[in-house]
Amino acid sequence: MAESLPPVVERIHEEVLRRNPAEPEFHQAVREVLESLAVVLNRHSEYTEMKTVERICEPERQVIFRVPWQDDSGEVQINRGFRVEFNSALGPYKGGLRFHPSVNLGIVKFLGFEQVFKNALTGMPIGGGKGGSDFDPKGRSDAEVMRFCQSFMTELYRHLGEYTDVPAGDIGVGAREIGYLFGQYKRITNRYESGVITGKGLGWGGALVRTEATGYGAAFFAEAMMETAGESFDGKRVTVSGSGNVAVYAIEKVHQLGGTVVACSDSSGYVVDEKGIDLEVLKQVKEVERARVGEYAERVASASFVADGDIWDVPCDVAIPSATQNELDGEGAASLARAGCRYVVEGANMPATPDAVRVFREAGVAFAPGKAANAGGVATSALEMQQNASRDRWSFEHTEARLEEIMRGIHERCHATADEYGSPGDLVLGANVAGFLQVAEAVHAHGLV
């Protein structure tokens, strides 16, 4: 049972529920931020008078559209497309596109709302948005994916622009999809507007480190958390859920920083490898063959595959949930805490349920929310936009150094804000309050718009 909210934010929460029925993920994301904001509203009455929180909870624009296309057999398919342009107080809307059967308006709004604060924390001049479709690229041919992407962009292009709205990839949208989307945008507009989309191929405007950025960023954030406690990754057992882009590169960077990742997963189950996940084999299985994670266990003698059960039952010092929203519940959190886990760092967007976060708080487990810990992807997207604007290309080393600097800056900011608002070490409150204050200041400066 969720605790009641302070009166100063309860009215706002009730209004969000009323105006946005049947959108549980969005309700969850808003409530999680509101729980942190009472302390701010009590200190800054102007935010209540100007209804600043209410304005930030309401998207500036929501676009929903039909996406018709033909599959390889000639059958007509109809999907639904979304783009929620949530807040542009700090810059053009910036956020990924997700292609997955689970996509609906509530999920896109939750992701867009989180993106507003995440982007603010990076310190980069970008607002927040999100989009996608209930199209599933899994099992589709390249030609089918291309036809879908072209149809999707034929509607979406009119809402985009390097000074307006800049999408990127997310679940189901990788380099292939970004290429088809950009090609259609270029064809329709007759403009080679590199900065209109990020996650591009390296040969045509993409940035080095963009592929690795979210996973690397989560590892850098975890390292910064441990350093405040006088620790490091050296000798630490680490569990990373998922085996997609975020998980693979979180594993890579954790290994480089001295930790040992002993487990990863996908929707079919999880693998445990006490010697440490062999990244070369994992990349071959997941990135080249697009196979199930069980294939890894068949090729690596020290590994075992578990089809039933929960990856959070694997004992570890550090957990990095990197698959999808609400994958880590109260029961999983209790398992981690019992086994001695001391750090949980969200690599995905909102992978820990409110119950899980409560368990971590009560057990004294240091917890980093996704809006802070997984901001590396969008931060590097903003660096890609900088390079496109200056017609430049930076080295891998320079871009990675900028990424690490940004992630350490986010941690420092969240840590300092938590101290300032009377909750030392509470990175959830620190992230929510720091992100909110940055956006709120700009919202007020622009007037009632």
Side-chain angles (χ1 to χ4, degrees):
M1 181 73 179
E3 296 174 18
S4 59
L5 288 167
V8 71
V9 292
E10 180 56 46
R11 178 188 54 78
I12 300 170
H13 182 243
E14 288 174 356
E15 185 65 2
V16 167
L17 295 181
R18 186 189 70 78
R19 291 167 71 96
N20 304 275
E23 296 177 357
E25 294 86 3
F26 180 53
H27 299 163
Q28 180 183 340
V30 170
R31 183 187 176 93
E32 190 261 333
V33 170
L34 291 179
E35 286 173 351
S36 300
L37 292 187
V39 67
V40 179
L41 299 182
N42 288 331
R43 199 180 287 192
H44 298 277
S45 60
E46 67 272 22
Y47 294 143
T48 300
E49 292 161 14
M50 294 302 295
K51 299 200 172 176
T52 310
V53 181
E54 292 92 325
R55 287 156 67 186
I56 292 174
C57 287
E58 185 66 26
E60 292 175 13
R61 188 174 296 105
Q62 302 178 60
V63 183
I64 306 176
F65 52 97
R66 181 177 65 213
V67 188
W69 59 283
Q70 272 187 308
D71 65 21
D72 287 343
S73 67
E75 186 177 344
V76 172
Q77 304 284 342
I78 307 293
N79 287 100
R80 181 175 289 175
F82 303 89
R83 188 67 181 173
V84 175
E85 297 176 331
F86 222 107
N87 192 288
S88 60
L90 298 177
Y93 309 106
K94 185 82 192 81
L97 297 170
R98 175 175 294 191
F99 291 170
H100 192 272
S102 66
V103 169
N104 57 41
L105 183 60
I107 283 179
V108 174
K109 282 166 69 175
F110 126 62
L111 292 166
F113 183 75
E114 286 276 293
Q115 200 80 46
V116 172
F117 301 100
K118 181 191 303 187
N119 294 2
L121 288 171
T122 68
M124 310 293 275
I126 44 178
K130 204 76 180 185
S133 173
D134 57 0
F135 169 74
D136 188 357
K138 233 180 230 175
R140 292 291 182 183
S141 69
D142 287 352
E144 288 175 321
V145 172
M146 181 184 73
R147 287 194 292 273
F148 171 81
C149 288
Q150 289 175 340
S151 182
F152 183 85
M153 185 55 82
T154 298
E155 171 58 34
L156 187 63
Y157 88 94
R158 69 193 78 237
H159 304 288
L160 305 183
E162 61 183 326
Y163 300 110
T164 307
D165 186 350
V166 182
D170 193 77
I171 293 171
V173 178
R176 172 183 62 174
E177 289 77 14
I178 292 292
Y180 295 147
L181 291 164
F182 180 75
Q184 186 72 350
Y185 180 88
K186 179 169 65 76
R187 183 183 190 187
I188 293 170
T189 63
N190 194 32
R191 293 195 303 269
Y192 204 108
E193 196 179 328
S194 294
V196 77
I197 198 165
T198 57
K200 300 182 294 296
L202 293 176
W204 46 280
L208 291 162
V209 191
R210 179 61 192 90
T211 303
E212 298 87 351
T214 307
Y216 276 23
F220 285 139
F221 196 96
E223 184 181 48
M225 284 174 73
M226 287 186 274
E227 283 175 3
T228 63
E231 298 189 66
S232 71
F233 267 116
D234 283 346
K236 295 283 192 302
R237 283 172 59 92
V238 183
T239 295
V240 178
S241 68
S243 50
N245 181 266
V246 178
V248 163
Y249 292 102
I251 294 168
E252 182 167 281
K253 184 51 65 177
V254 166
H255 284 172
Q256 290 173 12
L257 295 173
T260 302
V261 177
V262 296
C264 66
S265 63
D266 65 14
S267 56
S268 69
Y270 66 92
V271 290
V272 179
D273 188 344
E274 292 294 341
K275 288 187 176 178
I277 296 294
D278 185 323
L279 206 59
E280 193 176 325
V281 176
L282 184 64
K283 284 183 178 181
Q284 175 65 29
V285 169
K286 299 304 294 187
E287 295 183 345
V288 178
E289 299 172 20
R290 297 178 188 258
R292 302 283 80 193
V293 79
E295 285 288 318
Y296 175 93
E298 291 184 13
R299 300 176 198 187
V300 177
S302 56
S304 58
F305 174 68
V306 182
D308 302 317
D310 193 336
I311 190 171
W312 310 121
D313 293 334
V314 180
C316 63
D317 302 302
V318 184
I320 306 179
S322 303
T324 192
Q325 67 266 11
N326 293 326
E327 59 169 297
L328 172 52
D329 60 15
E331 198 175 316
S335 288
L336 286 170
R338 276 195 305 271
C341 179
R342 297 173 53 223
Y343 300 93
V344 176
V345 179
E346 291 193 319
N349 291 301
M350 208 170 71
T353 66
D355 283 345
V357 177
R358 244 186 317 275
V359 168
F360 294 138
R361 277 189 171 136
E362 290 167 4
V365 177
F367 175 77
K371 65 171 62 69
N374 76 20
V378 74
T380 309
S381 280
L383 298 178
E384 183 176 330
M385 292 165 68
Q386 282 185 20
Q387 292 169 77
N388 294 156
S390 61
R391 302 291 192 268
D392 198 2
R393 185 173 173 195
W394 304 341
S395 69
F396 191 98
E397 292 73 23
H398 175 74
T399 311
E400 186 181 7
R402 286 284 289 120
L403 170 63
E404 182 173 5
E405 179 187 356
I406 290 166
M407 295 310 298
R408 287 181 170 276
I410 293 171
H411 176 265
E412 188 178 323
R413 196 169 167 194
C414 295
H415 199 266
T417 303
D419 278 352
E420 182 185 346
Y421 280 84
S423 297
D426 186 345
L427 295 179
V428 173
L429 182 137
N432 288 334
V433 172
F436 170 78
L437 290 173
Q438 175 104 11
V439 177
E441 186 180 329
V443 165
H444 282 212
H446 297 165
L448 194 54
V449 294

